[in-house]
């Protein structure tokens, strides 16, 4: 009888352990998912631990229109202004192209005090070209022009983990190449022992004559093998018909899978099966976006769990 009870307890513990492992760690609200043309739907993703309203916004191409959609979808039971001012605790900007920062700029007069995080080159571009007192008022606490000091500009050092202010999350920045020598950034977000990875715009290593993606894969491979990396956001901007000479620092499905096979060599053949992979930055027109999705699914011999996010629709990982 004791053996039966012990066996039951063991099975029960294992069941609870498996359930705990499957429980989501992060929630994501896409505010913008496209890679161009549609100014109401450009790259921006709110991320927070599950059951928390302390979000960081990964890039900020579109803010207000995305918040309106999320409120319409009842993701938030409050106003867009309340979410902007009180739920978004800061911004992580991968690079300073307008389709990744225009929402931050335009919404700054209505925003509350918070931190904007970026690498040195990205921060310098934003300060010199946008928040400079001429193109736009300087809402930051550094840079040219009169400093309104609504935003604290926090420069990130590559490969150095730092806490994200007013949240329970931490971030580590990794370099990416986006039409060499122009730089973009990947952000590895941590909450306790769980991680989520966001890549800004990036070209393939071979085209960019870079090792940035390979170095990033080497850093995250152990987390994938331990199943600590819950999901990865990565761009695929063009269908396979796009010529290599016209990638402009972006990926196609072919190049996406070439890069992911490099990652697979580091994780082992089975580690990527079922791995949540959120496809970002698909460029219109709609026909091209549909083709990108079809090609990605048709070529998916790695067993990835491909996710195509929709603006204002909540996801959990």
């Amino acid at each position: 009888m004791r053996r039966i009870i012990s066996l039951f307890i063991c099975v029960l513990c294992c069941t609870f352990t498996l359930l705990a492992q499957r429980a989501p760690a992060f929630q994501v609200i896409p505010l913008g998912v496209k890679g161009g043309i549609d100014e109401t739907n450009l790259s921006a993703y709110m991320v927070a631990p599950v059951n928390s309203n302390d979000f960081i916004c990964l890039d900020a191409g579109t803010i207000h229109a995305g918040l309106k959609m999320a409120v319409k979808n009842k993701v938030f039971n409050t106003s867009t202004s309340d979410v902007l001012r009180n739920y978004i605790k800061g911004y992580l900007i991968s690079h300073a192209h307008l389709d990744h920062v225009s929402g931050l700029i335009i919404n700054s007069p209505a925003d509350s005090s918070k931190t904007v995080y970026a690498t040195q080159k990205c921060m310098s571009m934003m300060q010199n070209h946008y928040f400079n007192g001429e193109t736009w008022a300087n809402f930051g606490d550094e840079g040219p022009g009169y400093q309104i000091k609504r935003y604290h500009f926090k420069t990130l050092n590559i490969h150095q983990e730092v806490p994200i202010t007013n949240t329970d999350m931490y971030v580590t920045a990794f370099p990416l190449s986006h039409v060499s020598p122009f730089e973009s950034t990947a952000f590895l977000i941590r909450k306790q022992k769980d991680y989520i990875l966001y890549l800004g715009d990036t070209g393939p290593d071979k085209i960019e004559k870079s090792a940035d993606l390979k170095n990033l894969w080497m850093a995250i491979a152990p987390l994938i093998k331990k199943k600590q990396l819950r999901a990865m956001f990565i761009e695929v901007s063009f269908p396979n018909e796009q010529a290599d000479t016209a990638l402009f620092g972006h990926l196609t499905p072919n190049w996406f899978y070439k890069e992911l096979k490099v990652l697979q060599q580091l994780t082992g053949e089975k580690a990527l099966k079922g791995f949540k992979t959120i496809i970002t930055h698909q460029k219109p027109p709609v026909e091209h976006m549909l083709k990108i999705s079809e090609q990605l699914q048709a070529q998916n011999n790695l067993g990835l769990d491909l996710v195509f996010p929709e603006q204002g629709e909540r996801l959990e990982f």
Side-chain angles (χ1 to χ4, degrees):
M1 185 68 180
R2 288 181 180 176
R3 290 183 63 187
I4 294 174
I5 293 172
S6 298
L7 181 62
F8 175 76
I9 292 172
C10 182
V11 170
L12 196 61
C13 289
C14 290
T15 301
F16 281 128
T17 299
L18 288 171
L19 287 173
Q21 289 175 343
R22 294 192 188 106
F26 295 97
Q27 57 177 319
V28 175
I29 294 87
L31 302 184
V33 303
K34 296 180 183 179
I37 299 178
D38 184 356
E39 67 271 16
T40 68
N41 197 350
L42 298 172
S43 297
Y45 297 85
M46 292 173 63
V47 175
V50 167
N51 301 320
S52 170
N53 285 326
D54 297 331
F55 288 87
I56 188 72
C57 197
L58 300 168
D59 279 333
T62 292
I63 300 294
H64 184 72
L67 290 177
K68 282 181 65 177
M69 186 64 71
V71 170
K72 180 181 177 182
N73 291 342
K74 302 188 184 305
V75 173
F76 299 112
N77 295 316
T78 186
S79 67
T80 57
S81 176
D82 187 34
V83 179
L84 172 67
R85 294 179 58 83
N86 298 314
Y87 289 31
I88 298 177
K89 304 300 183 181
Y91 303 90
L92 286 165
I93 305 300
S94 67
H95 63 296
H97 283 166
L98 278 170
D99 58 329
H100 293 257
V101 299
S102 58
L104 170 65
I105 298 166
I106 294 298
N107 284 277
S108 54
D111 210 346
S112 59
S113 179
K114 56 194 62 169
T115 303
V116 177
Y117 304 83
T119 59
Q120 180 61 60
K121 287 188 178 181
C122 178
M123 190 69 77
S124 295
M125 288 185 69
M126 288 194 293
Q127 291 176 3
N128 292 333
H129 299 292
Y130 305 140
F131 294 114
N132 58 10
E134 295 180 354
T135 308
W136 198 255
N138 184 354
F139 281 86
D141 56 359
E142 295 179 0
Y146 176 76
Q147 297 171 4
I148 297 174
K149 299 184 179 180
R150 180 164 299 168
Y151 293 145
H152 171 52
F153 288 151
K154 171 68 175 177
T155 300
L156 297 174
N157 295 320
I158 295 297
H159 302 149
Q160 179 181 336
E161 185 181 72
V162 298
I164 301 173
T165 303
N166 295 322
T167 78
D168 292 328
M169 297 179 287
Y170 295 77
V171 62
T172 305
F174 293 84
L176 297 174
S177 183
H178 180 40
V179 188
S180 181
F182 190 79
E183 294 180 1
S184 180
T185 316
F187 298 115
L188 184 63
I189 310 294
R190 179 175 68 85
K191 169 64 167 66
Q192 295 180 347
K193 294 183 179 180
D194 292 302
Y195 296 79
I196 197 165
L197 177 68
Y198 174 85
L199 282 76
D201 293 356
T202 181
D205 278 352
K206 185 174 180 180
I207 300 297
E208 296 289 318
K209 296 179 173 55
S210 165
D212 286 339
L213 281 174
K214 184 176 182 180
N215 290 335
L216 178 62
W217 301 154
M218 291 174 66
I220 68 167
L223 301 178
I224 293 176
K225 288 193 285 187
K226 295 176 184 177
K227 300 191 181 302
Q228 290 177 272
L229 186 62
R230 294 303 189 103
M232 174 174 68
F233 299 77
I234 183 169
E235 69 120 285
V236 182
S237 295
F238 297 112
N240 287 330
E241 288 76 9
Q242 190 82 358
D244 287 351
T245 54
L247 290 180
F248 310 114
H250 295 293
L251 296 174
T252 62
N254 281 342
W255 280 112
F256 167 84
Y257 281 112
K258 286 178 183 178
E259 291 294 346
L260 267 289
K261 285 176 183 176
V262 176
L263 176 58
Q264 186 190 49
Q265 292 171 1
L266 297 167
T267 63
E269 185 175 347
K270 297 181 179 180
L272 293 183
K273 289 185 177 179
F275 180 55
K276 299 284 187 182
T277 308
I278 303 98
I279 305 301
T280 68
H281 208 266
Q282 291 174 285
K283 287 182 175 289
V286 172
E287 293 79 10
H288 282 186
M289 297 175 68
L290 291 173
K291 188 175 288 187
I292 291 168
S293 299
E294 292 168 359
Q295 291 172 348
L296 283 169
Q297 291 166 334
Q299 295 176 238
N300 185 15
N301 58 9
L302 301 181
L304 299 170
D305 184 356
L306 297 174
V307 179
F308 300 92
E310 295 289 340
Q311 184 183 46
E313 295 188 4
R314 185 172 180 268
L315 301 167
E316 290 187 347
F317 301 105

